[in-house]
């Protein structure tokens, strides 16, 4: 049962929510427009705010659903710690490396990781979310908010739940979020990272 749950977490995380939503409700393809990313920010940029918010909700749920199942149906000795963290990470890695497209073309994983860890360490994710909102709002760059939030997340997880498994999982997610934002980091250093704008076609 546990292995099926973890496999399901990865398969659910692999579903390209933004691509499916834009295929159904828009002529835009986020893989070929804007930044080329399938996440909510680029979907909003190329398909409109409504589709961006729908993608955000779907990506959050991809992380939250398997963790909820792990918390409510996992092995009694592990469910408060290892299995939920593993479920969150597998959904996250599914989003980054989706099986349905040959492990390529995934997103940056911010929403999916947040959706998973909000059930494991809610106060930590809410705190990181507040940091995201402030940093993204002040800089007008979603990448700045995402990087600031995930820089904080492992420390906030450890401070609020005290679980080394959850802290290590959050740290691993943070490392991959930073890796996925390598291009954004280079542009931020160079001063060429664009501000977020709905309907903008290029980064």
């Amino acid at each position: 049962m546990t292995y099926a749950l973890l496999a399901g977490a990865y398969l659910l995380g692999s579903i390209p929510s933004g691509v499916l939503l834009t295929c159904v409700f828009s002529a835009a393809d986020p893989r070929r427009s804007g930044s080329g990313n399938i996440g909510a920010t680029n979907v909003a940029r190329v398909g409109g705010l409504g589709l961006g918010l729908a993608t955000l909700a779907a990506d959050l749920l991809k992380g939250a659903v398997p963790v909820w199942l792990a918390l409510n149906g996992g092995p009694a000795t592990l469910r408060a710690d290892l299995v939920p963290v593993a479920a969150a990470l597998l959904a996250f890695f599914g989003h980054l490396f989706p099986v349905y497209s040959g492990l390529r073309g995934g997103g940056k994983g911010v929403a999916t990781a947040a959706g998973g860890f909000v059930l494991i360490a809610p106060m930590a994710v809410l705190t990181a979310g507040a940091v995201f909102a402030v940093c993204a709002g002040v800089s007008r760059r979603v990448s700045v908010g995402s990087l600031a939030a995930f820089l904080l997340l492992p420390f906030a997880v450890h401070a609020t739940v005290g679980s080394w498994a959850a802290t290590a999982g959050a740290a691993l997610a943070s490392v991959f979020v930073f890796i996925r934002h390598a291009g954004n980091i280079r542009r931020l250093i160079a001063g060429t990272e664009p501000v977020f704008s709905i309907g903008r076609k290029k980064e």
Side-chain angles (χ1 to χ4, degrees), residues 24-51:
V24 173
F25 297 107
S26 170
D29 186 339
R31 297 168 297 182
R32 296 176 174 82
S33 303
S35 67
N37 191 268
I38 65 171
T41 300
N42 194 48
V43 170
R45 181 180 290 125
V46 304
L49 180 60
L51 283 178

Side-chain angles (χ1 to χ4, degrees), residues 14-86:
S14 291
I15 296 173
S17 310
V19 175
L20 295 178
L21 286 166
T22 52
C23 284
V24 173
F25 297 107
S26 170
D29 186 339
R31 297 168 297 182
R32 296 176 174 82
S33 303
S35 67
N37 191 268
I38 65 171
T41 300
N42 194 48
V43 170
R45 181 180 290 125
V46 304
L49 180 60
L51 283 178
L53 291 174
T55 300
L56 175 63
D59 287 348
L60 286 165
L61 285 172
K62 290 195 310 186
V65 168
V67 173
W68 185 88
L69 292 172
L71 288 168
N72 289 278
T77 57
L78 295 175
R79 74 184 196 182
D81 206 33
L82 294 178
V83 173
V85 172

